[in-house]
Amino acid sequence: TRTDAEKYEPIPAPVEVEQGGTVNPDDTIANLEDLPEGTTVTLPEDFSTDEVGSQVVDVTVTYPDDSTDTVEVEVTIVDPNDGKTDAEKYEPIPAPVEVEVGGTVVPEETIENLDELPEGTTVTVPDVDTTKPGTTVVDVTVTYPDDSTDTVEVEVTIVDPNDGKTDAEKYEPKPNPVEVETGGTLNPDDTVGNLDELPDGTTVTVVEEVDTSKPGTHEVTVVVTYPDGSTDSFTTTVTVKDPAAPAPSPSTPGTGGKLPITGANTTGLAIASVFAILGGLAAAAYAQRRKES
């Protein structure tokens, strides 16, 4: 009686597989359907598809009666990226981004796996209107080093940075030193330099009572209360001045408060000095002549 191995002749079938892929043993036998039911096909245990290239492997065909045949099969391992553009090789993953009102979208932040794309890949985002809060979807273009491109849709959310903040967190009142005349009244609003920039309904209170009955400088605490009830506080100075106080007399250092001699007085002194010198010279000449005679 003949064995199944003697009765049948398996025909090898060359196969192609991507690098790192898996070969189905059944694909290596072209006439497997002609072999008896229960026939199995086995590849060598050390078979690997890690390296690109062609190799011949010994495939074992085991029949139902446990007899076997061994056939040589050519297996070609190919690089799945051969002949492909970068756009065909890679798949950019969109990353939803959030930007504040008035801000700018950073293109690189819109691609989640940018670090996995080839060096030299650039990302371009169309103009995004960030003037008001909201959500929009934009087409982001990924350009690879070989100039092939991918386009992905990215969701951009524009948020108001002041959402959830109190007025006191949104605004910053500026202290303003003020002057008031003796007997006058301090207007609290004058103590805030940028009151016109604060929201309508903002009120200003000076904590300490300022005595304006006499000149002097006072440091006061100012409380700014916003429409939402939140507050800011700061200190500033209030200077009380007497409008009737005389202005200090002009003086020259070293004169003891006396005004310096100027104008005509200076000219008179200079002329007198000249005559005195001339008189002295004449007297000396007269004395010399007498001595000689």
Side-chain angles (χ1 to χ4, degrees), residues 128-263:
V128 180
D129 181 7
T130 64
T131 58
K132 55 186 178 181
T135 299
T136 184
V137 175
V138 298
D139 290 330
V140 174
T141 302
V142 178
T143 303
Y144 300 99
D146 67 354
D147 290 330
S148 61
T149 62
D150 269 323
T151 300
V152 294
E153 292 185 340
V154 176
E155 183 178 281
V156 178
T157 302
I158 298 99
V159 298
D160 185 344
N162 289 322
D163 277 351
K165 290 185 178 180
T166 65
D167 286 341
E169 293 171 318
K170 299 176 187 177
Y171 299 96
E172 187 68 32
K174 296 178 181 178
N176 184 49
V178 295
E179 291 185 357
V180 61
E181 293 183 354
T182 51
T185 302
L186 171 64
N187 181 357
D189 289 355
D190 292 341
T191 62
V192 181
N194 61 334
L195 186 59
D196 58 342
E197 299 173 4
L198 306 184
D200 287 342
T202 298
T203 59
V204 183
T205 306
V206 177
V207 176
E208 297 85 1
E209 184 175 347
V210 178
D211 179 10
T212 64
S213 64
K214 55 185 178 181
T217 299
H218 309 267
E219 185 175 271
V220 296
T221 303
V222 178
V223 176
V224 177
T225 304
Y226 300 100
D228 67 353
S230 61
T231 61
D232 268 322
S233 64
F234 58 83
T235 60
T236 190
T237 56
V238 177
T239 301
V240 182
K241 287 192 171 183
D242 184 356
S249 300
S251 61
T252 300
T255 62
K258 297 180 180 179
L259 292 176
I261 299 174
T262 60

Side-chain angles (χ1 to χ4, degrees), residues 65-121:
D65 67 354
D66 289 333
S67 61
T68 61
D69 269 323
T70 300
V71 294
E72 292 183 342
V73 177
E74 183 178 358
V75 179
T76 302
I77 302 161
V78 298
D79 183 344
N81 291 321
D82 275 352
K84 291 184 177 180
T85 65
D86 286 341
E88 293 172 320
K89 298 176 188 177
Y90 299 96
E91 188 67 34
I93 301 173
V97 294
E98 189 174 278
V99 62
E100 291 186 353
V101 171
T104 303
V105 176
V106 178
E108 290 73 19
E109 294 179 357
T110 63
I111 302 300
E112 183 177 316
N113 61 333
L114 184 60
D115 58 344
E116 299 173 3
L117 304 183
E119 187 175 352
T121 297

